[in-house]
């Protein structure tokens, strides 16, 4: 039996998809679970420290997930060059997914930068991880307000990349012909 394109690309697809799954899931869990749990700390002065510690533990895994997704994605682009040139819609999908992935990576990097600003102010009392207290310093309040937005941008962008990946998979199946339907 001849090897199919999907069989030759199983490792690349797996690295690509597992990286994206970890990136999406970890970011969503952090925004919901980690920040939510830290906001519930009984001492308002502990909230930022707990969240900062949790995000710092996630950071190397997130970097690994982004790297895996990127390596797998570049490998798949190289493996599917001919299809990307000739199949209608494949190139547009790849370019859109690449742009979204770059935006998500930029958002993750910016969230890391904002997180370092919050960590530098972690001794301040706060309402929540992304909700400044009235007495918060200007620097902390600004970083928290921006984090409130960016923490949701990452799972939104990576979720969109998952959807485009599903569309890519459907494109690779090829059209179903009348003969294929009769055979079933």
């Amino acid at each position: 039996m001849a090897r199919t394109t999907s069989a030759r690309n199983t490792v690349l697809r797996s690295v690509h998809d597992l990286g994206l799954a970890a990136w999406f899931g970890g970011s969503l869990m952090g925004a919901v679970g980690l920040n939510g749990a830290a906001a519930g700390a009984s001492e308002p002065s502990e909230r930022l420290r707990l969240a900062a510690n949790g995000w710092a533990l996630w950071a190397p895994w997130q970097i690994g997930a982004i790297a895996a997704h990127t390596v797998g994605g570049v490998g798949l682009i190289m493996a599917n060059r001919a299809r990307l040139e000739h199949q209608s819609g494949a190139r547009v999908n790849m370019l859109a997914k690449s742009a979204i992935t770059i935006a998500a990576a930029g958002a993750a990097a910016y969230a890391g930068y904002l997180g370092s600003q919050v960590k530098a102010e972690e001794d301040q009392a706060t309402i929540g991880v992304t909700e400044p207290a009235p007495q918060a310093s200007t620097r902390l309040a600004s970083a928290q307000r921006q984090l409130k937005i960016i923490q949701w941008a990452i799972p939104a962008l990576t979720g969109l990349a998952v959807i485009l990946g599903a569309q890519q998979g459907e494109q690779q199946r090829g059209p179903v012909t009348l003969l294929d339907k009769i055979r079933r």
Side-chain angles (χ1 to χ4, degrees):
M1 182 173 198
R3 288 176 59 181
T4 64
T5 302
S6 63
R8 287 191 306 259
N9 296 325
T10 301
V11 172
L12 286 174
R13 288 176 195 278
S14 297
V15 169
H16 173 265
D17 292 351
L18 287 171
L20 184 55
W23 187 8
F24 169 79
S27 297
L28 184 59
M29 188 286 207
V32 175
L34 176 60
N35 286 356
S42 58
E43 286 295 321
S45 60
E46 287 288 300
R47 294 174 183 157
L48 293 181
R49 185 185 61 76
L50 290 170
N53 289 344
W55 283 109
L57 290 170
W58 163 243
W61 290 92
Q62 179 174 350
I63 291 166
I66 293 168
H69 176 65
T70 301
V71 167
V74 170
L76 288 171
I77 290 168
M78 298 304 293
N80 291 297
R81 287 186 306 263
R83 187 178 67 77
L84 291 171
E85 276 185 42
H86 299 18
Q87 186 179 16
S88 175
R91 180 178 289 220
V92 172
N93 179 292
M94 182 273 300
L95 291 172
K97 188 174 172 195
S98 296
I100 288 166
T101 299
I102 291 167
Y110 190 61
Y113 167 74
L114 291 172
S116 69
Q117 288 188 323
V118 168
K119 182 163 179 50
E121 307 285 332
E122 70 182 6
D123 58 330
Q124 294 186 47
T126 186
I127 295 171
V129 176
T130 59
E131 296 78 32
Q135 70 275 17
S137 69
T138 304
R139 179 179 173 188
L140 175 60
S142 175
Q144 284 180 296
R145 284 188 205 99
Q146 291 175 68
L147 270 174
K148 187 171 193 151
I149 296 166
I150 205 79
Q151 77 175 359
W152 294 107
I154 299 165
L157 289 166
T158 54
L160 187 53
V162 168
I163 293 166
L164 290 174
Q167 183 185 33
Q168 286 174 334
E170 292 297 314
Q171 288 173 335
Q172 286 185 305
R173 287 179 40 192
V176 176
T177 65
L178 180 58
L179 185 57
D180 292 330
K181 289 180 182 180
I182 292 170
R183 285 182 187 155
R184 290 183 199 176

